[in-house]
Amino acid sequence: MKYRRFLLTCTIIIHAYTAFSQIYPVNAKLEDKKSFSMIVIPDPQSYIKFAANQPLFELQTAWIANNLDTLNIQGVLCTGDLVEQNDIAVPDYVNGDQTSQEQWQAVSNAFCRLDNKIPYILCTGNHDYGYKSSEVRRTYFHEYFPAERNSCWKKTLVAIGNNYKGIPTLENAAYELTTDTWGKLLIISLEFSPRDEAIAWAKKIVNSPQYEKHKVILLTHSFLDYKGERFISEDYYPMRPANYPEAVWQKLVYPSTNIRLVICGHECHITDYDEQVSLRMDNNQNGKSIIQMMFNAQTADGQWHGNGGDCWLRILEFKPDGKTISVRTFSPLFALSPTTSQFAWRNKPFDQFDIVIN
């Protein structure tokens, strides 16, 4: 009798949950039910710098949490610039109305929705350092995102590099994912304009016997501009020592045998969507193709001080053939309402495409 009551109670709860669970007018689905996916979140800084925009970033992480099973999400990648300013106590109310501590707390709160559910991987951007932007390498990143924070990292976090103070933090970190169809993946998160020491650490990891046969994804904030060219230099001269993207390519990516995909953000203008993204392919020294993809959306609404970017994110669907990744660009914000759901997908060729890793 007690067991039957228990089953009845469970059934009622399930029906209640189904009845009241939120229904999106349009939502994402896997093209192949045997695929898995990763989600790319572009630079959050413009959501975080205004109090009114911060719930929009929570909308993104909440949508990801709600679709973990539907999209078989195995990881979440964020391209950096988590905050607009790392260390200001008095906002100017033009480029934000939040102090830096309020900004760090807001981005931390948003990622709380993913803690203990999914490994999310963050890289640091220029705005995550210094006073306003990279005057020095000081950052509060490690105070809000320590290695112990997310229990999912216990199974995936395999190596941590030292920051500029010689302290191991997630500014430079390596995560391992084991999949049925793609084998073992290694995701390296690299600090903004990495020091020689950070590059040497990453090079040692990707070349080690333990990971030399993994497919490696490099996540770093700055790499490509909107034309698909790697930056040779950048206007952050107080931050020294530093390696800019072309140097990262020459020292780390090109000589590697297993880095197959580079993902970045950073580049942004008030312009059409096609100049907020880029894609290029080059061969490494062994003739294997390396895909490099830039995706940013912080001015996707056509403003520097607008809503933060219309909540655009990218869904990377790793197909069961073990070599094809389907890339789609989606907004949970537009998808939420019947009046805007027709705008939830960006369908131009630069926003919907396949990449093949041979």
Side-chain angles (χ1 to χ4, degrees):
M1 180 64 68
K2 289 183 179 180
Y3 181 66
R4 290 180 179 177
R5 289 177 181 174
F6 172 74
L7 287 178
L8 178 61
T9 301
C10 289
T11 302
I12 292 172
I13 291 172
I14 291 171
H15 281 298
Y17 177 82
T18 303
F20 293 103
S21 61
Q22 189 170 17
I23 303 299
Y24 274 63
V26 62
N27 209 350
K29 297 180 180 179
L30 292 174
E31 296 173 351
D32 190 311
K33 64 181 181 180
K34 295 180 180 179
S35 298
F36 67 90
S37 72
M38 294 190 197
I39 306 299
V40 177
I41 302 176
D43 306 19
Q45 65 194 86
S46 294
Y47 301 113
I48 301 303
K49 64 186 180 183
F50 290 110
N53 292 353
Q54 290 170 355
L56 294 178
F57 190 58
E58 289 211 33
L59 172 67
Q60 285 189 300
T61 55
W63 178 87
I64 293 169
N66 289 341
N67 284 274
L68 292 176
D69 293 333
T70 303
L71 294 175
N72 191 14
I73 300 172
Q74 298 298 304
V76 178
L77 313 178
C78 182
T79 59
D81 275 355
L82 302 173
V83 297
E84 179 71 18
Q85 302 99 0
N86 173 64
D87 200 10
I88 63 163
V90 181
D92 63 12
Y93 295 93
V94 175
N95 199 35
D97 59 10
Q98 298 290 281
T99 69
S100 291
Q101 293 298 318
E102 290 172 327
Q103 292 177 48
W104 280 112
Q105 190 59 58
V107 76
S108 176
N109 289 346
F111 277 106
C112 277
R113 294 180 178 274
L114 303 180
D115 280 331
N116 311 317
K117 297 177 181 177
I118 190 76
Y120 55 85
I121 298 162
L122 316 175
C123 67
T124 49
N126 49 295
H127 285 269
D128 300 325
Y129 290 97
Y131 175 64
K132 290 186 176 180
S133 179
S134 293
E135 298 87 352
V136 292
R137 282 201 180 272
R138 183 183 68 253
T139 181
Y140 290 104
F141 172 80
H142 59 280
E143 295 185 19
Y144 288 88
F145 296 97
E148 300 80 11
R149 170 179 169 138
N150 183 356
S151 64
C152 295
W153 290 336
K154 290 183 178 180
K155 295 181 179 179
T156 56
L157 183 61
V158 294
I160 301 177
N162 291 341
N163 70 0
Y164 74 106
K165 285 187 173 181
I167 300 170
T169 73
L170 297 185
E171 292 166 68
N172 299 287
Y175 306 78
E176 183 183 45
L177 298 177
T178 301
T179 73
D180 292 335
T181 53
W182 280 68
K184 292 187 176 182
L185 304 177
L186 188 71
I187 303 170
I188 300 282
S189 177
L190 203 58
E191 67 188 24
F192 173 69
S193 295
R195 298 160 293 123
D196 283 339
E197 296 89 341
I199 289 180
W201 167 83
K203 193 170 184 177
K204 181 179 179 181
I205 295 294
V206 299
N207 291 334
S208 67
Q210 186 175 357
Y211 303 115
E212 63 183 358
K213 294 186 179 180
H214 287 47
K215 293 183 179 73
V216 178
I217 299 172
L218 177 64
L219 176 68
T220 190
H221 179 63
S222 173
F223 205 75
L224 297 182
D225 66 13
Y226 74 94
K227 296 178 181 178
E229 301 295 328
R230 289 185 291 269
F231 291 102
I232 297 174
S233 63
E234 299 202 56
D235 297 329
Y236 302 102
Y237 296 110
M239 181 179 270
R240 288 289 189 271
N243 286 279
Y244 298 120
E246 182 59 31
V248 176
W249 169 265
Q250 295 293 342
K251 294 180 179 181
L252 174 63
V253 183
Y254 177 73
S256 73
T257 61
N258 51 5
I259 296 178
R260 309 311 307 279
L261 176 63
V262 180
I263 296 175
C264 69
H266 182 55
E267 173 81 333
C268 197
H269 304 278
I270 303 292
T271 184
D272 294 334
Y273 291 154
D274 62 335
E275 294 187 7
Q276 297 176 349
V277 301
S278 63
L279 185 75
R280 73 176 286 165
M281 184 186 75
D282 297 286
N283 290 338
N284 65 13
Q285 67 176 6
N286 296 312
K288 290 184 178 181
S289 62
I290 300 176
I291 307 295
Q292 300 138 77
M293 183 176 73
M294 184 274 287
F295 175 54
N296 200 357
Q298 68 195 74
T299 58
D301 63 345
Q303 305 175 73
W304 282 112
H305 309 297
N307 73 12
D310 284 345
C311 286
W312 294 110
L313 48 76
R314 272 191 169 168
I315 302 165
L316 309 186
E317 180 175 344
F318 290 70
K319 296 295 185 64
D321 64 2
K323 63 180 182 180
T324 304
I325 302 174
S326 176
V327 179
R328 292 174 290 164
T329 307
F330 179 78
S331 170
L333 174 64
F334 290 150
L336 185 59
S337 169
T339 62
T340 58
S341 60
Q342 68 269 30
F343 305 115
W345 294 101
R346 283 170 30 181
N347 294 310
K348 297 291 186 180
F350 50 80
D351 273 323
Q352 305 271 4
F353 54 89
D354 287 350
I355 56 179
V356 178
I357 297 178
N358 292 317

